Amino acid sequence: MEIDNWIRLKLNLANCLLLCKQILNPKGGLVFSPIFCKFLHAIAPAKGWWITQTKKFQMITEADTCRKYVLPKLIEAGWDNEPHSFTEQKSFTDGRIVVLGNRVKRNPPKRADYLLRYTRDFTIAVVEAKAAYRSAGDGMQQAKEYALMLGLKFAYATNGRTIIEFNFISGKERELNAFPSPDDLWKQLCAAERITQDVAEKVLAPCNYQTWKELRYYKEIAINRVVQSILQGKRRVLLTMATGTGKTSVAFQICWKLWNSGWNRSGEHRKPRILYLSDRNILVDDPKAKDFAPFGDALHKIENGKAIKSREIYFSTYQSIAQDERRPGLYKEYKAEFFDLIIVDECHRGSAKDESNWREILEYFHPAYQLGMTATPLRNDNIDTYRYFGNPIYTYSLRQGIEDGFLAPYRVHRVITSYDAAGWRPTRGELDRYGREVPDKEYQTQDFERVVALQSRTQAIARHLTDFMKKTDRFAKTMVFCVDQEHASEMRRELNNLNTDLVQQYPDYVCRVTADEGEIGRGHLSRFQELETVSPVILTTSQLLTTGVDAPTCKNIVIARVVNSMTEFKQIIGRGTRVRDDYGKFYFNIIDFTGSATRLFADTEFDGQPAAIEEVNIDKEGSVIVDVIDGETLPQYDEPVIVETLPPEEAERNLRKFYVDGGHVEIVADLVYEIDSNGKQLKVMKYTEYAAERIRTLYPNSAELRKQWANPNHRSEIIAMLEERGIDFDDLKTTAKQPDADPFDLLCHLAFNAPLRTHRERADRVKKDQREFFEKYGQDAKAILEALLDKYAEHGVAQFVIPDVLKVPPISEYGNVMEITNKFGGVEKLREAVSELQTLLYAA
């Protein structure tokens, strides 16, 4: 490019380097930054040629780069030739759900400019494009971040002219003139991961899209990694995916790929024989009837003691084929090499323990490839699973699911009854419902419903839950996890009697679903799971619903029993993590009556470090005592007391705990904990503390916050930033019990312990101390400003929106918008006056 002499005299190289970045492309052209373009306009406004050139570069946006440069180069490289393809501007997450009080919003989803697919089901590279005036390398960091997230080995960044490649296999970054072809990348990948031609054909076998239009990115990764591992001879494979992320659909697609590609363990010309194992009927019946339905007549469930061998996809519970004192073990009627693949769903539930009969089944079928699927990461209570299957080949965590917007965030309500706060002790000689003397000792939360059943406590929990649902949504699907089946029955009765107005119309409004109900209970559960049914609304249970139950619209998880196991806790809250935008299900509540949730969030390997947890208890005088617990684990609880010598009638009833019907229980604390919405990690803390921490992160002190808040434009930015972090002022006022506080004062009070002021107090101070400000204006303008100040005193800073506020009484009585504007000397003068008024409001 030839630069004329006049411009050469005006520009020296040093100034150019300071003002802009000039990138010499392979063709010899110059690419200018916007700052440099403006500089050229300033020094040579008459030079039409320069103006034309600089405008040309300024106008080339990222979208132009994609359309004019990137797209043709991808097509030229062969990425538009079947079976290869690429997707443009592809969002691969839904965007994190942020809860703002009772409202929700979604953060922007993660979106790749281009995803390059070797086949429809095998993404191999990502491309990030930047506008032509920027450096190609500006997009590399984002491309690498997306590649890591998507499990890809190749990342590209381009400004349309220059292409930069980062190869995760070699660790090298290099500049290219053109995009590599699909075959070039595939050959590199196969060489790095030792994928043979035979393995490649089966890995690339298509998925089934009769039910699913497309696969979420993490499912594609999980499916391809499992299939590749099996084809390359890995006998035991573990997949860890959070509840609600679709483990069953992943298992189906794995089976579909292997089944349709003709794979089997022995290499014979036949379809593979696959066994799908779990420990509960619902966990095998549901997949068989739904996800695996496309297999049609190939499906069979092993039950009723019959060993059918003529099908290809088998389903069974461990109990149906295991050995026990009555049966030698139905599994032995199948040869050890009969199955090619065994899928163990919810494999953390004891299947891999050395002493387990279930382990015996897996070891009997040792020639088969075995895939374990679990929702829980490695912990002490499931270490046998990891020892047997090995480390997971892929993990998709609860935290990542919430960050991506595929799983629902949650709010924790810690509710403490007076008995749980201070313990319960019987009076001397107190008898229970059956005339037995209750042992004189102090009973705590871990003893309730195990050692001693306190009817008044159950009633208090039921009453609080009913009140909560009346305030929120009485038809929000709710699961209540009780201590045992008997407790679930008591809870169902109390909830039923507290909601008789709805029970009259919906007799199954509250139902118990435990093992005792059998088919009736399964019917209640099936209707509860359906999206269009109104009732049942509340299910009480003990253990049956802790795993494998897909209830997409469940909005309340109630914990009325102590949960010690992190594995079990994750399974319980997993009942509420499904998102259904079309049914208004974006988040759910965990209502915790035992302290289990607030203590068990200390899961460092799965969801990140939790914040300190504050719980409120009361002493004997009723004063509040604050205990801070940081990741502390609950102690193991004693086994229920068994009365050694029982009268005949008691022995017949086999009573194992004491039943106390008297007493009065109150709710002494109801704390709401919010989940950190910054996407880095999940934290559990009081909402007010969370807001205070966010403010301190953004502003080091109240003076800096005041400086920014006083400016109307900056104030709107602050409000937007807080909303992105899940902080809503109306909800914050309610939680802090300060409905009249000015938002600025409330933030300073929570974050910096500053004194609180109301809108009225700030308005009165300005009227009293800033008379000089009002005296600058004429009578009508002064009256309008005072009226505006009165509106702020009553309704807050929202009243400073111009021109909307000028259209409502009493300000509108001074004329229309134009007439009011003229009283200040024009639009700009009016805006200056209103802006100065706001600055004075927050001057001190």
Side-chain angles (χ1 to χ4, degrees):
M1 183 179 294
E2 186 175 348
I3 306 175
D4 92 359
N5 292 331
W6 189 87
I7 295 295
R8 287 185 185 275
L9 292 173
K10 293 290 184 180
L11 300 178
N12 60 64
L13 182 59
N15 288 334
C16 290
L17 293 174
L18 290 172
L19 289 167
C20 67
K21 177 190 277 186
Q22 299 189 24
I23 304 166
L24 187 63
N25 70 28
K27 297 181 180 180
L30 283 171
V31 180
F32 301 109
S33 74
I35 296 175
F36 187 50
C37 293
K38 291 178 181 178
F39 179 73
L40 291 175
H41 280 289
I43 64 172
K47 298 295 177 178
W49 184 86
W50 266 106
I51 293 173
T52 301
Q53 294 302 311
T54 55
K55 281 186 176 179
K56 175 182 176 182
F57 284 115
Q58 278 185 298
M59 292 175 62
I60 298 179
T61 64
E62 186 174 309
D64 294 329
T65 302
C66 292
R67 183 177 66 256
K68 294 180 180 180
Y69 302 109
V70 181
L71 191 59
K73 289 188 176 184
L74 287 173
I75 294 174
E76 183 181 353
W79 287 101
D80 199 34
N81 301 331
E82 289 288 345
H84 319 304
S85 63
F86 59 86
T87 56
E88 187 173 5
Q89 294 297 314
K90 175 66 175 178
S91 295
F92 56 90
T93 71
D94 283 353
R96 183 187 177 95
I97 297 170
V98 179
V99 182
L100 303 168
N102 292 320
R103 299 180 294 112
V104 295
K105 59 169 284 190
R106 278 192 183 271
N107 286 341
K110 292 187 183 299
R111 177 176 296 176
D113 289 329
Y114 294 94
L115 291 177
L116 310 186
R117 301 182 184 276
Y118 190 73
T119 64
R120 178 179 180 177
D121 309 319
F122 202 101
T123 306
I124 198 169
V126 61
V127 179
E128 278 302 306
K130 295 299 177 184
Y133 62 79
R134 297 183 62 178
S135 164
D138 289 350
M140 180 49 69
Q141 197 58 43
Q142 186 176 4
K144 289 170 69 175
E145 178 189 338
Y146 286 174
L148 287 170
M149 191 172 176
L150 297 170
L152 308 178
K153 299 299 183 183
F154 307 98
Y156 297 90
T158 179
N159 61 1
R161 292 174 172 81
T162 302
I163 300 170
I164 299 177
E165 175 193 70
F166 185 84
N167 187 318
F168 285 86
I169 297 171
S170 65
K172 293 182 179 180
E173 185 173 309
R174 61 176 179 157
E175 192 172 304
L176 306 175
N177 294 324
F179 287 106
S181 69
D183 287 338
D184 286 341
L185 296 188
W186 181 247
K187 287 177 182 177
Q188 290 185 59
L189 185 66
C190 288
E193 300 188 357
R194 301 178 182 178
I195 300 175
T196 64
Q197 182 63 32
D198 182 57
V199 170
E201 291 176 1
K202 293 178 173 60
V203 167
L204 297 176
C207 290
N208 181 291
Y209 289 97
Q210 294 179 11
T211 307
W212 299 271
K213 293 182 180 179
E214 64 176 346
L215 297 174
R216 290 175 176 171
Y217 79 89
Y218 62 86
K219 289 187 179 182
E220 182 180 315
I221 296 171
I223 293 165
N224 289 332
R225 287 191 183 178
V226 170
V227 171
Q228 182 178 328
S229 296
I230 291 173
L231 293 172
Q232 291 181 324
K234 187 174 175 61
R235 290 285 175 173
R236 296 174 184 174
V237 180
L238 181 63
L239 198 56
T240 301
M241 295 172 62
T243 300
T245 56
K247 291 190 298 296
T248 307
S249 63
V250 167
F252 162 73
Q253 295 289 7
I254 291 168
C255 295
W256 186 265
K257 272 178 169 273
L258 295 174
W259 196 71
N260 277 285
S261 65
W263 169 85
N264 60 68
R265 180 183 49 77
S266 59
E268 299 170 342
H269 186 68
R270 62 173 174 82
K271 297 288 188 182
R273 290 187 289 263
I274 300 171
L275 174 62
Y276 190 99
L277 269 179
S278 192
D279 67 330
R280 297 182 182 181
N281 274 304
I282 191 171
L283 299 182
V284 296
D285 292 343
D286 210 50
K288 178 177 178 291
K290 296 176 182 177
D291 293 80
F292 283 77
F295 282 109
D297 292 338
L299 302 175
H300 173 69
K301 182 182 179 183
I302 302 173
E303 55 186 346
N304 301 323
K306 297 179 181 179
I308 303 297
K309 302 176 183 178
S310 57
R311 305 297 176 87
E312 289 153 350
I313 312 294
Y314 295 81
F315 292 82
S316 177
T317 62
Y318 296 108
Q319 296 88 332
S320 296
I321 60 175
Q323 178 179 343
D324 56 30
E325 63 276 3
R326 296 179 289 108
R327 298 173 298 183
L330 187 63
Y331 70 90
K332 292 181 180 178
E333 295 192 23
Y334 295 92
K335 292 182 179 180
E337 62 274 9
F338 182 82
F339 294 109
D340 300 291
L341 173 65
I342 297 177
I343 298 175
V344 186
D345 191 19
E346 306 293 354
C347 64
H348 62 276
R349 295 178 58 82
S351 61
K353 290 183 178 178
D354 292 335
E355 70 278 7
S356 171
N357 286 336
W358 304 344
R359 173 72 171 266
E360 184 179 315
I361 295 172
L362 296 179
E363 290 183 339
Y364 176 80
F365 291 117
H366 67 88
Y369 289 81
Q370 297 176 6
L371 167 62
M373 299 192 303
T374 180
T376 58
L378 175 63
R379 303 193 65 84
N380 288 333
D381 53 5
N382 65 356
I383 194 169
D384 290 316
T385 298
Y386 282 74
R387 188 175 289 137
Y388 182 82
F389 287 102
N391 292 325
I393 61 168
Y394 183 63
T395 297
Y396 189 73
S397 69
L398 173 65
R399 181 186 64 80
Q400 188 63 52
I402 293 175
E403 171 62 20
D404 290 344
F406 297 134
L407 295 181
Y410 42 93
R411 178 178 290 165
V412 181
H413 302 255
R414 173 66 175 109
V415 185
I416 306 173
T417 71
S418 54
Y419 283 177
D420 291 275
W424 176 82
R425 187 168 188 166
T427 58
R428 184 177 298 275
E430 182 171 353
L431 303 180
D432 79 343
R433 183 187 303 167
Y434 300 104
R436 297 174 300 167
E437 183 175 338
V438 182
D440 184 15
K441 60 173 286 189
E442 188 171 285
Y443 297 91
Q444 302 294 335
T445 303
Q446 64 265 27
D447 304 313
F448 300 150
E449 304 304 326
R450 295 177 182 272
V451 180
V452 57
L454 303 175
Q455 187 180 50
S456 55
R457 178 176 177 271
T458 301
Q459 291 170 343
I461 292 173
R463 189 163 52 246
H464 183 275
L465 176 59
T466 299
D467 292 341
F468 175 83
M469 294 181 69
K470 285 180 178 179
K471 293 175 183 176
T472 53
D473 180 3
R474 296 188 74 181
F475 287 94
K477 296 292 180 71
T478 302
M479 289 185 180
V480 185
F481 291 90
C482 303
V483 173
D484 53 25
Q485 297 190 41
E486 185 179 37
H487 188 211
S489 180
E490 292 283 342
M491 189 67 71
R492 183 206 62 79
R493 182 182 304 112
E494 297 297 339
L495 287 167
N496 181 92
N497 293 340
L498 289 167
N499 292 276
T500 53
D501 57 328
L502 292 179
V503 174
Q504 291 172 8
Q505 185 176 359
Y506 304 99
D508 59 350
Y509 179 80
V510 188
C511 295
R512 184 183 78 155
V513 177
T514 63
D516 285 355
E517 271 78 23
E519 288 298 327
I520 296 176
R522 282 192 284 274
H524 291 323
L525 176 58
S526 178
R527 291 192 299 277
F528 181 86
Q529 292 176 281
E530 291 175 10
L531 296 172
E532 301 294 340
T533 58
V534 177
S535 64
V537 174
I538 304 174
L539 296 185
T540 65
T541 187
S542 57
Q543 294 284 345
L544 191 61
L545 305 182
T546 57
T547 185
V549 176
D550 185 6
T553 57
C554 182
K555 291 185 177 181
N556 298 318
I557 300 296
V558 182
I559 302 177
R561 65 178 171 86
V562 171
V563 181
N564 282 323
S565 164
M566 176 61 73
T567 299
E568 184 182 11
F569 174 65
K570 291 295 183 186
Q571 292 292 328
I572 288 174
I573 67 170
R575 303 310 104 212
T577 53
R578 273 77 170 180
V579 175
R580 284 305 299 252
D581 301 50
D582 48 345
Y583 285 85
K585 164 68 184 302
F586 294 95
Y587 70 98
F588 67 103
N589 297 292
I590 300 173
I591 307 172
D592 178 19
F593 289 95
T594 66
S596 299
T598 48
R599 288 183 172 91
L600 287 175
F601 273 113
D603 186 356
T604 55
E605 280 117 14
F606 202 48
D607 290 331
Q609 287 284 355
I613 303 167
E614 182 180 279
E615 295 187 355
V616 176
N617 297 297
I618 56 173
D619 59 20
K620 295 180 179 179
E621 285 74 35
S623 300
V624 174
I625 304 172
V626 178
D627 294 323
V628 177
I629 303 155
D630 190 4
E632 181 181 340
T633 306
L634 281 174
Q636 296 295 320
Y637 302 124
D638 297 333
E639 292 298 317
V641 172
I642 304 298
V643 180
E644 296 181 0
T645 305
L646 297 176
E649 63 274 12
E650 293 180 17
E652 185 177 342
R653 286 196 297 264
N654 194 26
L655 300 177
R656 62 181 182 85
K657 53 187 173 183
F658 298 95
Y659 300 83
V660 180
D661 297 335
H664 176 71
V665 180
E666 295 180 351
I667 303 298
V668 297
D670 185 352
L671 308 178
V672 180
Y673 298 92
E674 294 293 333
I675 302 305
D676 188 347
S677 61
N678 64 12
K680 302 296 183 183
Q681 58 186 14
L682 293 183
K683 289 186 176 181
V684 185
M685 55 171 54
K686 289 178 65 174
Y687 188 34
T688 51
E689 292 176 353
Y690 170 71
E693 184 184 277
R694 295 297 80 146
I695 288 294
R696 288 191 293 268
T697 301
L698 295 170
Y699 302 98
N701 51 56
S702 59
E704 183 63 27
L705 176 58
R706 185 190 309 278
K707 178 182 175 182
Q708 299 297 323
W709 188 271
N711 184 307
N713 294 328
H714 291 169
R715 185 189 311 134
S716 62
E717 293 174 3
I718 293 172
I719 294 172
M721 284 192 296
L722 293 177
E723 282 193 348
E724 288 178 1
R725 289 158 175 79
I727 299 171
D728 176 76
F729 280 114
D730 290 335
D731 197 50
L732 191 59
K733 287 180 179 181
T734 302
T735 304
K737 298 180 181 178
Q738 298 292 344
D740 299 323
D742 182 274
F744 168 77
D745 291 298
L746 182 57
L747 293 178
C748 286
H749 176 70
L750 295 175
F752 308 110
N753 202 28
L756 274 171
R757 289 193 179 95
T758 65
H759 295 140
R760 175 62 63 186
E761 288 171 339
R762 284 199 169 273
D764 290 344
R765 185 188 56 79
V766 170
K767 286 183 179 181
K768 178 182 177 182
D769 299 341
Q770 302 295 335
R771 299 310 305 171
E772 293 179 4
F773 167 74
F774 293 99
E775 296 301 331
K776 294 191 302 185
Y777 300 96
Q779 183 176 352
D780 286 351
K782 175 182 175 182
I784 291 170
L785 290 172
E786 289 178 342
L788 192 59
L789 200 56
D790 289 336
K791 280 191 167 293
Y792 158 78
E794 186 174 353
H795 301 292
V797 291
Q799 301 306 307
F800 290 123
V801 178
I802 304 294
D804 297 355
V805 72
L806 307 181
K807 301 175 184 179
V808 295
I811 299 175
S812 61
E813 296 172 4
Y814 291 90
N816 59 34
V817 173
M818 187 59 67
E819 290 170 338
I820 294 174
T821 300
N822 290 335
K823 295 180 186 296
F824 287 84
V827 175
E828 288 305 317
K829 294 292 185 182
L830 171 61
R831 292 192 182 279
E832 288 175 7
V834 174
S835 180
E836 185 177 357
L837 177 59
Q838 295 180 68
T839 301
L840 292 173
L841 271 171
Y842 297 105

